[in-house]
Amino acid sequence: MRTGEPLPSVEDVLAALATGLWHWDTATGLVTVDAEAARLIGLPAEPATLTEAQTRARFHPVDWNEITGVVRLAVAEGTLAEVRIRIMDGDGDVLRVVRSRSKPSYDPERHAYELIGTLQEVTEPTPGTAAGHNAVTGDWRRSREAFLLDAGRALAEARSTAEVLRVAGGLSMPGFSPDGLVVFGVEGDRLTVIGQHGHHPGDMGRFSEMPLTTAYPAAEVARTGRAVYLSSPDEYKDRYPVTWPLAQHFGRRSWAFLPLTVAGRTMGAWLAAFTHPVAFTPDERAVLTTVARMLAQALSRAGAAESERELTEGLQRSMLPSLGPEIPGLRGAARYIPTGGGLQVGGDWYDMIPLPSGRVALVIGDVQGHDVRAAGLMGQLRIALRAYASEGHRPDAVLSRASRFLHGITQATGDDPAADLRFATCLYAEADPPTGRLEIARAGHPHPVIRMADGTVMMRPTTGGPPLGVDPDADYPTTRFTLESGETLMLCTDGLIETGGHDLESGWRRLRTILEDHSGDLESMADALVQGVHGPSSHHTTGPLADRREDDIALLLLCRPGEGCGCGDTVALRPRVRRSLLSVAQDEPERIAEARQQLRELLHDWASAEQLDSAVLLVSEMITNVLVHTDTDALLLAEVTGAGEAGRRLRVEVFDTGDDLPHMRRPGELASSGRGLMLIELLADAWGVDPRGEGKSIWFELYEPGCSGAEASEGVA
């Protein structure tokens, strides 16, 4: 080239040096090559754009894995990525060997690597020979570092023995990847096969239960803790003639048996077998030894984690009952789901206790915390509750005694008195199977929920006291109501409600939608609640459980067989009645607000919003009149009957045990009372006062638009 002439282009220079250019973008999955690079990888000598799959088909599979590892390492270190690549022809033979040099980069926004580099043909000595390894020492060492980095990360992330074995089976070592892998364990004085890759499952049976005294390399390694390297079949046959026939038919050419050692103890052996001869140079032995150590650590961690999970799940399950035999007149279903964190134990529980009276006690609760301490307290508290219930105490007395018990066993004895203090929420319900009557005492726990026969779902407010263990002298008042035929009672801990970013209010709305939309049996209803909140489940108590959760969950469903409950039993010609019952004591005027809310939930699908407001106003007036003008408690009964185009009827009755009958008055304009009956007469479709044997009831009726009084009366006859 004469002075002053223009410089040749880069493409011309590279072509003169038989060097091609290639560009790989993992975001698009495309590889672009120029004419020389296309020729080097066995394509026509012209520029081309290939997919990753098309490019991978031209490279040796091991070398493709090396490229990805080297690229990550080069980006992390800010260095060049150098690797040798065997180019394969259509018959699976090596066409040529090329060297790739590139400066890869990583785009965090696209989460993608981009590589721009050169390809140049090199002479590749025979794999496995000393000359071959000396020629690629620099590249091989860099590939080794990238491989060990990736292998260590993958093994560290494996959480089970099966996952560790899967990762080990997928390892592609730089330059001498094994074609068969076996992990041996030791049980007593015998060798066992934990897992394998590259063999048929039946082929390993002859090596299982092999005595450690057998003249077999894996047995020797497990016995002595020293590695065995066999570079050729002749060496294997000379050193282990007795067991050579066992290995001969696999057709391998070299073998490495390495000890799996953790904390100075050999727990087994790892076999890496090769179909081509391997000299096992110091570098290769170093890689195999490092992998064996990482594999041993991963297997040890996975085994410990699996034992821990098995122990803790067994502990938790032993603390939870099965629902036992069916209860005449009632059906039940339950779920327990531990949190996915830590030991997967916690303080949530449920119980079903047969009582001497023939009744059944339902218990659900939640001890503060998700650790072994919480699980231990839960077990003690559950036993105490069963004991108090079996003694025949009423629900309020059972919770009072349980609160004193928990307060006593959680008293701290250290410098920080609050460190070990724990409390528990609990709901205790006593059910009478023949009648469906329930008596409920509640200690800071979420309210029960009722799903009625027509699919209406209502939260059933109940009186309660503080959580157990907070105040040893606390009282727990009892709420009584009846579970009607076809209705389902749901009890749950707050883990079912407050998860996925929900609070009590929004979580309750989500559960209400699931219950109202469900049309299957009781077991599928329990599954729908769990899966609707957390997704598919995988374990079992009395039914499927979910496994990785934000909080423990206990769920208990109880239904009285009948149309609509999903128990599988039905009651013929049963009228469709929606009913709510609530008592308001003289010292509980705040429960009037609960009565209003309960009536709104009962009438959530009422056609007339104006009538709904009227009904709420009248209920408030009627209960207030009882509390103000008598010395007795008020009992509210609200029923919705009828269905179809004719509309429905709402009948509300408020009972009290007072002797004086109410009478209509004409209060002056400035009077502060005396308008209750006037409002009832003005807003109700029908009303009246009925004397009872002891006390009286005042009632009113509202007819949904399109429903006449006669039609409504026929609907409840």
Side-chain angles (χ1 to χ4, degrees):
M1 183 175 66
R2 295 185 178 87
T3 303
E5 291 184 356
L7 293 174
S9 65
V10 174
E11 291 78 4
D12 293 337
V13 173
L14 293 177
L17 297 175
T19 302
L21 286 174
W22 71 306
H23 171 245
W24 178 24
D25 188 346
T26 61
T28 62
L30 298 177
V31 177
T32 303
V33 294
D34 65 4
E36 182 61 21
R39 184 191 69 79
L40 289 174
I41 65 175
L43 297 174
E46 57 187 29
T49 299
L50 312 172
T51 64
E52 287 184 1
Q54 291 172 324
T55 308
R56 186 183 303 178
R58 312 302 304 179
F59 293 178
H60 192 285
V62 173
D63 298 341
W64 177 268
N65 292 334
E66 287 185 34
I67 293 172
T68 58
V70 170
V71 165
R72 293 190 185 97
L73 183 63
V75 170
E77 296 180 348
T79 59
L80 290 176
E82 298 187 26
V83 65
R84 293 199 176 201
I85 307 169
R86 285 167 286 181
I87 305 301
M88 313 300 293
D89 60 17
D91 298 326
D93 297 325
V94 177
L95 179 65
R96 63 174 57 87
V97 177
V98 299
R99 181 200 300 270
S100 171
R101 301 188 67 188
S102 62
K103 179 66 174 178
S105 61
Y106 179 73
D107 187 345
E109 294 184 358
R110 299 192 304 159
H111 302 286
Y113 291 91
E114 186 174 9
L115 178 149
I116 300 176
T118 61
L119 293 177
Q120 188 175 35
E121 186 172 3
V122 295
T123 302
E124 176 72 358
T126 304
T129 64
H133 291 300
N134 291 334
V136 296
T137 297
D139 290 336
W140 188 87
R141 287 180 177 172
R142 179 169 296 280
S143 299
R144 178 189 67 183
E145 293 171 359
F147 160 74
L148 293 176
L149 182 65
D150 287 344
R153 184 185 300 112
L155 289 171
E157 293 174 353
R159 292 291 180 264
S160 66
T161 300
E163 192 173 351
V164 170
L165 295 175
R166 180 184 60 78
V167 171
L171 296 179
S172 296
M173 300 181 193
F176 68 115
S177 290
D179 302 277
L181 301 172
V182 181
V183 176
F184 296 95
V186 176
E187 289 186 6
D189 60 350
R190 294 190 173 272
L191 200 67
T192 62
V193 176
I194 298 176
Q196 59 85 26
H197 177 75
H199 305 87
H200 296 294
D203 293 340
M204 294 295 103
R206 67 192 72 185
F207 298 98
S208 187
E209 300 298 323
M210 180 182 286
L212 292 181
T213 55
T214 305
Y216 177 64
E220 180 181 320
V221 169
R223 188 174 64 249
T224 65
R226 294 191 297 270
V228 172
Y229 296 97
L230 304 171
S231 300
S232 67
D234 290 339
E235 185 178 1
Y236 196 130
K237 183 178 180 179
D238 290 343
R239 292 183 59 179
Y240 302 96
V242 175
T243 55
W244 164 245
L246 298 179
Q248 183 178 9
H249 79 281
F250 289 107
R252 303 285 161 62
R253 305 292 300 279
S254 297
W255 301 261
F257 294 84
L258 296 105
L260 298 174
T261 304
V262 178
R265 182 180 67 88
T266 300
M267 56 183 289
W270 175 50
L271 162 63
F274 304 84
T275 55
H276 60 271
V278 178
F280 296 119
T281 64
D283 280 337
E284 291 169 341
R285 295 191 182 200
V287 169
L288 291 168
T289 301
T290 302
V291 172
R293 290 173 180 170
M294 293 190 298
L295 181 59
Q297 292 288 343
L299 287 171
S300 177
R301 287 193 303 270
E306 289 171 346
S307 298
E308 191 175 77
R309 283 195 297 271
E310 183 178 354
L311 174 63
T312 54
E313 288 178 3
L315 169 67
Q316 191 77 67
R317 291 170 189 239
S318 69
M319 293 181 178
L320 292 171
S322 66
L323 294 187
E326 292 186 355
I327 306 166
L330 296 174
R331 299 288 185 272
R335 300 290 184 269
Y336 172 73
I337 302 95
T339 180
L343 299 179
Q344 293 200 16
V345 297
D348 288 24
W349 89 97
Y350 66 84
D351 209 344
M352 184 175 284
I353 309 168
L355 301 178
S357 62
R359 295 186 172 190
V360 176
L362 307 174
V363 188
I364 193 163
D366 181 3
V367 176
Q368 174 199 14
H370 309 113
D371 51 16
V372 174
R373 169 73 168 156
L377 287 176
M378 178 269 284
Q380 296 178 73
L381 184 58
R382 176 182 165 233
I383 293 171
L385 280 162
R386 291 185 71 93
Y388 297 142
S390 299
E391 288 175 354
H393 298 293
R394 307 303 297 173
D396 55 341
V398 170
L399 289 192
S400 295
R401 284 167 168 75
S403 184
R404 286 194 292 271
F405 170 80
L406 184 60
H407 186 271
I409 65 174
T410 57
Q411 291 299 300
T413 58
D415 296 333
D416 183 5
D420 294 330
L421 291 178
R422 299 284 181 114
F423 62 84
T425 66
C426 182
L427 188 148
Y428 181 95
E430 189 172 305
D432 182 42
T435 64
R437 292 194 184 95
L438 296 172
E439 295 185 32
I440 294 178
R442 190 172 56 85
H445 201 79
H447 293 285
V449 171
I450 301 293
R451 184 182 189 267
M452 298 183 177
D454 66 348
T456 302
V457 177
M458 293 178 54
M459 183 177 291
R460 187 63 171 81
T462 56
T463 55
L468 303 179
V470 174
D471 180 2
D473 299 320
D475 293 325
Y476 297 93
T478 301
T479 300
R480 298 175 179 84
F481 62 89
T482 299
L483 189 66
E484 301 292 343
S485 179
E487 292 184 346
T488 301
L489 172 73
M490 184 189 82
L491 308 176
C492 69
T493 54
D494 58 3
L496 188 67
I497 305 173
E498 296 179 304
T499 188
H502 287 272
D503 56 19
L504 279 173
E505 182 177 353
S506 62
W508 151 240
R509 289 197 300 267
R510 175 174 56 174
L511 293 180
R512 178 176 182 168
T513 300
I514 295 172
L515 285 170
E516 288 182 337
D517 293 343
H518 182 72
S519 59
D521 60 14
L522 204 63
E523 291 292 338
S524 65
M525 182 184 295
D527 290 339
L529 287 165
V530 171
Q531 296 176 15
V533 171
H534 285 308
S537 53
S538 61
H539 301 305
H540 292 78
T541 51
T542 57
L545 297 180
D547 51 7
R548 296 208 178 266
R549 312 301 169 216
E550 299 174 18
D551 193 6
D552 304 332
I553 289 175
L555 169 67
L556 192 56
L557 298 176
L558 186 75
C559 80
R560 257 187 108 189
E563 182 182 356
C565 73
C567 296
D569 300 336
T570 60
V571 177
L573 301 178
R574 179 181 162 273
R576 298 182 66 82
V577 178
R578 187 186 299 180
R579 181 180 291 113
S580 178
L581 190 68
L582 178 69
S583 62
V584 180
Q586 280 285 330
D587 58 350
E588 298 176 328
E590 69 279 359
R591 298 206 70 193
I592 298 176
E594 291 184 16
R596 291 194 294 264
Q597 179 61 31
Q598 193 162 314
L599 187 62
R600 287 191 178 276
E601 291 195 6
L602 189 72
L603 303 176
H604 73 280
D605 56 353
W606 195 260
S608 172
E610 184 176 340
Q611 281 187 327
L612 173 58
D613 292 337
S614 297
V616 171
L617 173 61
L618 295 182
V619 163
S620 183
E621 284 288 335
M622 292 163 65
I623 298 177
T624 301
N625 284 342
V626 172
L627 299 185
V628 171
H629 298 296
T630 73
D631 295 328
T632 66
D633 299 339
L635 179 63
L636 168 69
L637 173 63
E639 290 184 340
V640 178
T641 56
E645 296 180 358
R648 295 170 292 179
R649 183 196 70 170
L650 167 68
R651 181 181 176 90
V652 176
E653 290 189 74
V654 175
F655 302 88
D656 68 79
T657 57
D659 296 327
D660 297 332
L661 296 177
H663 58 276
M664 188 80 69
R665 291 191 297 164
R666 298 293 176 182
E669 292 184 1
L670 300 179
S672 59
S673 63
R675 295 185 175 85
L677 294 183
M678 293 178 61
L679 286 173
I680 295 176
E681 185 176 54
L682 179 64
L683 299 176
D685 291 319
W687 71 281
V689 178
D690 295 336
R692 302 286 177 175
E694 184 176 326
K696 60 185 178 297
S697 75
I698 181 170
W699 58 271
F700 72 85
E701 293 182 354
L702 291 177
Y703 309 129
E704 197 173 21
C707 176
S708 67
E711 290 170 335
S713 298
E714 291 175 2
V716 293

